[in-house]
Amino acid sequence: MNAISPNRRPMNVRLATPRGFCAGVDRAIQIVERAIEKFGAPVYVRHEIVHNKHVVERLKVMGAVFVKELDECPDDRPVVFSAHGVPKSVPAAAGARQMLYLDATCPLVSKVHVEAERHHAAGRHILLIGHAGHPEVVGTMGQLPDGAITLVETVEDAQTVQRPGNAPLAYATQTTLSMDDTAEILSVLKARFPELPDPHKEDICYATTNRQEAVKGLADGSDLVLVVGSPNSSNSVRLVEVALRAGAADARLVDDASHVDWSWFDGVSTVGITAGASAPEPLIQALIEAIRERFDVTMIDDPGERETVTFKLPRVLA
């Protein structure tokens, strides 16, 4: 870390709107918090409730126990399924054990699950655009029998994927992808398979779309863009990629202010700040304060989409 200079030079700090928590993340965290309040600790959570280490650590202190698989949970304590969704086999196993389980799957992810089931029921084979191993992709593929979905990760995959037999095709997407990358993959798929239908609504969620549009505006005129978010957060990583593609001279992902290398600010007069959908606002404010300690800051709030979406909690917690 560089020493703090007593002669602080000017620094414009542009703050993206919207940034940070989305409605699905907020709902998932509330489910864990309220479950602890109602049922007492410990409450078990299968996988990280959202992909942010600060959120996970705070919930651990409150009494949440994070596990990788359901068999690590006792029968007599509540278990919460993460916002990314789970394969159908997971609630089925919990039900067979008569466990109390709470599903914190984002409703927009659940919408993709419903669409996948609808396509399967109509006899269509599904091409799923997403990243292998991501919990959301694992959950979506786990809604249907093996072989019902083919994963398409890249343009190269789109150029070579084969239709299984004579099956009609449909597609779905992971909700946290880059809009531009997804559009490129879809363009290739639809050129090869013209019968692919347009989606009723884009699977990429409103929060991902809004944050990517905001960071494109932020990148224009910013010498450096800092994205607050954890490395395993897909939507946060995509924001860095989108910023660079949109023309930012430099863009970095930081878990929090302690991860900033202040040499990144050499030659920088304007820094843009945003955050992934699972990053809490206090982390953003702490980053701004760390910049204030080192520079003479002028704050600029970028205009952007104002989000008013909210999702209901499960009835047992409402």
Side-chain angles (χ1 to χ4, degrees), residues 23-35 38-39 49 79-83 100-107 110 310-318:
V25 164
D26 190 50
R27 174 181 179 270
I29 294 168
Q30 282 192 61
I31 288 173
V32 178
E33 292 171 342
R34 294 205 186 185
K38 180 164 184 173
F39 303 110
I49 186 67
V79 59
V80 180
F81 303 147
S82 82
L100 171 61
Y101 65 87
L102 300 161
D103 189 355
T105 301
C106 174
S110 296
T310 57
F311 295 131
K312 292 181 180 179
L313 297 177
R315 188 171 300 172
V316 68
L317 297 178

Side-chain angles (χ1 to χ4, degrees), residues 13-317:
V13 175
R14 293 175 56 191
L15 197 54
T17 301
R19 62 186 179 274
F21 277 5
C22 64
V25 164
D26 190 50
R27 174 181 179 270
I29 294 168
Q30 282 192 61
I31 288 173
V32 178
E33 292 171 342
R34 294 205 186 185
I36 294 169
E37 289 174 10
K38 180 164 184 173
F39 303 110
V43 166
Y44 286 76
V45 185
R46 184 186 178 276
H47 293 182
E48 292 187 349
I49 186 67
V50 297
H51 282 159
N52 186 272
K53 74 172 188 178
H54 295 275
V55 170
V56 168
E57 290 303 317
R58 183 178 67 82
L59 292 174
K60 281 182 180 178
V61 171
M62 292 179 66
V65 177
F66 292 87
V67 298
K68 290 185 177 180
E69 298 300 340
L70 196 65
D71 58 16
E72 300 172 63
C73 304
D75 292 346
D76 60 349
R77 296 304 304 162
V79 59
V80 180
F81 303 147
S82 82
H84 310 102
V86 296
K88 274 190 171 179
S89 58
V90 175
R97 292 169 58 185
Q98 297 185 316
M99 300 174 75
L100 171 61
Y101 65 87
L102 300 161
D103 189 355
T105 301
C106 174
L108 298 179
V109 174
S110 296
K111 180 177 77 72
V112 176
H113 293 178
V114 170
E115 288 176 354
E117 290 185 312
R118 178 174 58 83
H119 288 311
H120 181 65
R124 304 183 188 105
H125 183 81
I126 299 163
L127 304 177
L128 175 63
I129 303 170
H131 298 299
H134 188 279
E136 184 184 328
V137 167
V138 173
T140 298
M141 296 187 76
Q143 300 304 303
L144 300 177
D146 288 349
I149 298 177
T150 298
L151 185 62
V152 178
E153 295 190 79
T154 64
V155 168
E156 290 73 25
D157 288 347
Q159 291 167 340
T160 59
V161 67
Q162 296 299 312
R163 181 197 308 272
N166 295 317
L169 296 176
Y171 69 85
T173 77
Q174 185 180 331
T175 63
T176 55
L177 299 177
S178 159
M179 296 182 296
D180 295 335
D181 289 347
T182 304
E184 192 175 358
I185 291 170
L186 281 175
S187 176
V188 173
L189 288 175
K190 295 188 80 166
R192 293 188 60 212
F193 308 111
E195 83 274 22
L196 278 174
D198 290 323
H200 296 296
K201 287 187 177 179
E202 186 60 60
D203 286 339
I204 297 174
C205 81
Y206 79 93
T208 297
T209 301
N210 289 346
R211 280 151 189 74
Q212 289 182 18
E213 290 296 340
V215 86
K216 286 178 182 179
L218 204 64
D220 183 16
S222 293
D223 307 305
L224 169 67
V225 173
L226 296 179
V227 178
V228 179
S230 292
N232 60 339
S233 165
S234 175
N235 76 86
S236 300
V237 172
R238 300 291 85 75
L239 288 176
V240 175
E241 297 170 354
V242 170
L244 291 170
R245 181 177 290 184
D250 193 9
R252 308 276 182 162
L253 182 67
V254 293
D255 243 323
D256 53 50
S258 70
H259 287 76
V260 173
D261 180 342
W262 296 100
S263 68
W264 298 339
F265 282 73
D266 293 348
V268 169
S269 60
T270 300
V271 58
I273 294 177
T274 188
S278 50
E281 182 68 20
L283 296 181
I284 304 163
Q285 296 305 319
L287 174 58
I288 293 169
E289 286 308 307
I291 296 171
R292 285 188 190 278
E293 290 174 1
R294 292 160 173 83
F295 301 97
D296 182 12
V297 166
T298 299
M299 291 297 303
I300 304 166
D301 283 318
D302 270 26
E305 187 76 22
R306 296 288 174 178
E307 294 175 347
T308 58
V309 177
T310 57
F311 295 131
K312 292 181 180 179
L313 297 177
R315 188 171 300 172
V316 68
L317 297 178

